[in-house]
Amino acid sequence: MADEQTGENAFEEATEEDTQLEAAADALEAAQNEQPGWWRWRKAAALVTFGKKADEPPPPPVERPTTILGHLTKATSSTPPADGVPASIVELGQKYAAGEFDGSNDRCRSLLDAVRTSIKDYAPPPDAAAARDLDVKLKSWASYLEKCREPTASTLAALKRLRLVASTLPPDISPSEAQAAVETCCDRFREERVELAVREIGRRGAQKIRDGDVVVAYGYADAVEALFSEAVGRNFEVVVVDSAPAFAGRRLLNALYAKRVRTTYVRLTAAAPEIERATLVVLGADAVFSNGSILARSGAFAVAALAQRRHVPVLVTCEAYKCHDRVRLDAADANELFEFPSSDDTPPLTHLTYDVTPASYVSAVATEHGLLPPSAVAALIRELAEKETA
């Protein structure tokens, strides 16, 4: 009797399971007929698996870039709303968005000047500590400028130093003392990390120029101009290579012409014959990464590749505060897009603002701490970080 009772229970359970499967199949067919597209199948599957969760709306679709460079931002754009941002920071953001400052040192100088101007009118809330509120203000200003245009290694380093100074101020410090501390930090950073560094790089780099040399320079950099200024009086020739869209080499050309340095100006497409007779190639850098790769104006990689093929040494000038602890392998990871003006007769054209030169194409990196091989940049970054936090 027990065996018969067990068999009957098993039969009833199987019959009940078949009934549930038939109901699920009917629900699946009904859902397929009622709902169009992919959501029909998603809802039917959820109905069978999760029951009531099928009535929940689908998640919004994720917008993905449709081109290989679709994730990059434009070099020029409109400014975001400026709620609670000082007028000097708003004005700087508008200039950033308009592409007025191209050089990394110029952007750093303008940032320090804007912060120094804004801090004069700073007054913390009555119930907030000046040091803490000042750090929050600097963070909001940096966020606003980042929305106007992608930050450079120079501006990131300056803001990092300013926020470090603000965050380490005593909690009971007065607003006037906090203002003075930030103003002093702006002045010291500009003088020591930018101006003095440029002059020291020029002095060290000029030692590599001898009588009879033909030096090829691409674009413009403050340290490159300082290097040639230190070498004035020697018998050498400079070939300035330039390219669109910035044509920054014209600035270097005018500076060398004013110093009566023998100079030739060519476009990037005509650089090969000039590098053929060159004895040295000098490049400026917007950043040097820990793996030794160089971020510079688009076209610098082409000049370095031509120089390597002809066994011409490549000297890169870079202030130490622009050495970044990130690793970059190519220019498509993070960059800016410059859009050329277009009309009905011409298609829209875009141009990468920067490119990345691998460390294998660079002979030495000239910093205010000396001439280093690219492999030693990581050690320099570690030493600077230890001094910064000491």
Side-chain angles (χ1 to χ4, degrees), residues 49-316:
T49 308
F50 303 106
K52 294 182 179 180
K53 290 187 178 181
D55 296 330
E56 297 180 359
V62 179
E63 295 185 2
R64 301 184 183 277
T66 56
T67 62
I68 191 173
L69 301 178
H71 62 288
L72 301 180
T73 60
K74 298 180 182 178
T76 57
S77 59
S78 58
T79 55
D83 297 333
V85 180
S88 59
I89 301 296
V90 173
E91 182 181 359
L92 177 62
Q94 293 172 348
K95 292 180 179 180
Y96 277 179
E100 185 168 331
F101 297 106
D102 279 332
S104 56
N105 283 344
D106 290 339
R107 290 181 64 175
C108 181
R109 293 187 187 103
S110 62
L111 171 65
L112 294 173
D113 291 341
V115 171
R116 203 180 191 287
T117 303
S118 301
I119 210 69
K120 292 180 179 179
D121 301 328
Y122 166 74
D127 57 343
R132 174 61 179 167
D133 182 70
L134 188 57
D135 182 46
V136 174
K137 288 287 193 303
L138 290 171
K139 183 178 180 180
S140 65
W141 298 351
S143 177
Y144 173 80
L145 293 175
E146 185 175 349
K147 293 177 182 177
C148 296
R149 189 174 179 183
E150 285 292 322
T152 60
S154 60
T155 56
L156 288 174
L159 287 169
K160 180 179 179 181
R161 180 59 184 172
L162 290 173
R163 291 195 60 193
L164 179 63
V165 169
S167 62
T168 53
L169 293 175
D172 56 346
I173 192 172
S174 64
S176 59
E177 292 175 336
Q179 292 174 5
V182 174
E183 290 177 358
T184 302
C185 178
C186 290
D187 295 339
R188 289 189 60 183
F189 191 93
R190 176 167 182 165
E191 181 62 26
E192 297 176 4
R193 307 297 295 274
V194 182
E195 309 301 345
L196 286 177
V198 168
R199 293 195 290 269
E200 182 63 19
I201 292 172
R203 186 186 68 82
R204 293 177 181 271
Q207 299 174 2
K208 298 300 180 180
I209 299 180
R210 298 176 176 83
D211 289 339
D213 280 351
V214 177
V215 185
V216 172
Y218 178 73
Y220 177 84
D222 292 329
V224 174
E225 181 185 348
L227 185 152
F228 290 134
S229 299
E230 286 287 333
V232 169
R234 304 172 196 171
N235 182 24
F236 68 99
E237 179 186 355
V238 178
V239 179
V240 178
V241 180
D242 206 2
S243 68
F247 291 108
R250 296 174 182 175
R251 181 177 174 183
L252 180 61
L253 176 66
N254 293 332
L256 295 178
Y257 180 78
K259 295 178 175 61
R260 298 296 187 267
V261 177
R262 187 155 51 101
T263 309
T264 304
Y265 179 85
V266 298
R267 297 287 290 271
L268 181 60
T269 52
E274 301 299 334
I275 295 178
E276 186 75 41
R277 65 187 186 92
T279 57
L280 178 67
V281 171
V282 179
L283 302 175
D286 289 85
V288 177
F289 299 101
S290 59
N291 62 339
S293 58
I294 310 298
L295 182 73
R297 278 286 169 180
S298 183
F301 182 21
V303 174
L306 289 171
Q308 187 194 53
R309 185 172 181 82
R310 289 158 177 79
H311 305 287
V312 179
V314 177
L315 177 65
V316 175

